[in-house]
Amino acid sequence: MTTPDPNMEIVRLTHWGRWVGAAIIIGILVALGFAFADAQILWEDIPDFFAFEVMIEGLWRTLGLAVAAQAGAIVIGVVIALLGRSANPVARWFAWGYIWIFRGLPVLLQILIWYNLALVFPVISIPFVVDAPTNTVINAFAAALLGLGLNESAYMAEIIRAGLNSVDRGQIEAAQSIGMTPGKTLIRVTLPQAMRVIIPPTGNDFINMLKGTSIASVIPYVELTKAASNIASRNLEFMETLLAAAAWYMILVSIASVGQYYLERSFDAADRAHRLRNKVGRSLKLGRA
């Protein structure tokens, strides 16, 4: 066997592909920079539109609609996911049909259907709850909330179902063997472990929801995109107002992404602590035996 010479010079590999790829990317970025620098955009006006009262109002409406729709979707998604896991075949078929309908129809179409519901049902009458014209009950916000929330609830049901299925069946059987009710098993055993699977896609869906609220601009609901359109219709600076709205979307998405990161990390830590407690408990039981 030949012994390598310690004085031999080490020649590092030259990764030409990496350098070429980096040069191409930098060249594209520089070209885009020059293109936007020469574009007919009044950059100095964008900060003014960014802080317009209509734009700020659209920002809060966007955030409120996204939070309300996502929260409602999570609640409905949990119910549909549990119905899909039920031993009752009617409940399972109902859950399957719900997901099939609301996941199959485009969000824009759902919003338009809800907004024009008065054409089919002029009055909504529910005993002891509501008896009023449909246009009064299903206003622009309600139509957007129903369209976005119900569509998202179908996806949330699948996400939650996948999270619940990821929990080992043996742990559920162990909880049942010590007398835990199905509800207590779900809350104390299944959901805490399923959350590490549920949280990442839910965070992504909420980010999509923040951007998806722009679809509500097709009806008279003044969110960020609609606010930008209203401003531009008066001053005709369409690109400037759209870029101001884009900046607000990027801020919202960035904040949501940071929140998702810390939420995932906290649930990962809780899951590791839960697994460690179970391991210690099993060790103690074996030691006593």
Side-chain angles (χ1 to χ4, degrees), residues 37-214:
D38 293 336
Q40 296 181 5
I41 298 176
L42 300 176
W43 297 101
E44 64 276 8
D45 289 351
I46 294 177
D48 295 333
F49 297 141
F50 187 79
F52 260 37
E53 183 178 351
V54 177
M55 191 72 78
I56 300 300
E57 181 183 355
L59 168 69
W60 289 115
R61 284 171 173 261
T62 292
L63 187 59
L65 177 59
V67 171
Q70 189 67 39
I74 292 173
V75 173
I76 298 174
V78 170
V79 174
I80 297 300
L82 294 178
L83 289 176
R85 290 164 54 90
S86 173
N88 188 332
V90 176
R92 290 199 305 271
W93 276 102
F94 174 81
W96 178 86
Y98 182 94
I99 294 171
W100 177 68
I101 291 174
F102 287 106
R103 193 171 61 173
L105 295 176
V107 182
L108 177 58
L109 179 62
Q110 294 186 47
I111 291 176
L112 291 175
I113 288 174
W114 286 111
Y115 189 66
N116 293 284
L117 192 65
L119 298 176
V120 183
F121 301 105
V123 176
I124 294 180
S125 181
I126 302 176
F128 309 107
V129 177
V130 63
D131 186 6
T134 302
N135 284 333
T136 303
V137 179
I138 309 295
N139 54 20
F141 173 78
L145 178 63
L146 289 169
L148 291 167
L150 294 177
N151 177 78
E152 177 61 23
S153 67
Y155 289 95
M156 283 305 308
E158 290 293 272
I159 291 172
I160 293 168
R161 180 185 62 82
L164 296 176
N165 289 342
S166 68
V167 179
D168 184 56
R169 181 66 187 174
Q171 298 195 38
I172 300 174
E173 293 174 351
Q176 293 172 346
S177 68
I178 60 175
M180 278 192 178
T181 62
K184 186 176 289 187
T185 301
L186 175 67
I187 294 172
R188 302 191 61 179
V189 177
T190 309
L191 272 181
Q193 298 181 67
M195 290 303 289
R196 61 187 176 86
V197 177
I198 294 173
I199 289 296
T202 302
N204 290 334
D205 277 10
F206 179 64
I207 291 173
N208 285 330
M209 181 67 75
L210 283 170
K211 297 179 294 183
T213 54
S214 61

Side-chain angles (χ1 to χ4, degrees), residues 202-282:
T202 302
N204 290 334
D205 277 10
F206 179 64
I207 291 173
N208 285 330
M209 181 67 75
L210 283 170
K211 297 179 294 183
T213 54
S214 61
I215 300 177
S217 62
V218 299
I219 59 177
Y221 183 74
V222 184
E223 40 68 62
L224 272 174
T225 303
K226 188 70 172 180
S229 178
N230 289 345
I231 296 172
S233 66
R234 293 194 294 268
N235 56 30
L236 301 181
E237 294 186 38
F238 289 95
M239 186 57 70
E240 290 80 1
T241 53
L242 290 175
L243 288 175
W248 273 123
Y249 278 117
M250 292 304 300
I251 291 173
L252 289 177
V253 168
S254 299
I255 294 173
S257 298
V258 172
Q260 178 186 357
Y261 168 77
Y262 283 105
L263 190 60
E264 288 181 23
R265 195 170 72 169
S266 66
F267 272 102
D268 284 342
D271 183 62
R272 286 195 296 270
H274 180 77
R275 291 175 181 271
L276 181 60
R277 285 196 299 269
N278 287 343
K279 185 176 181 180
V280 172
R282 287 194 296 267

Side-chain angles (χ1 to χ4, degrees), residues 23-41 43 243:
I24 292 173
I25 293 172
I26 292 173
I28 293 173
L29 292 176
V30 170
L32 287 174
F34 279 111
F36 275 100
D38 293 336
Q40 296 181 5
I41 298 176
W43 297 101
L243 288 175

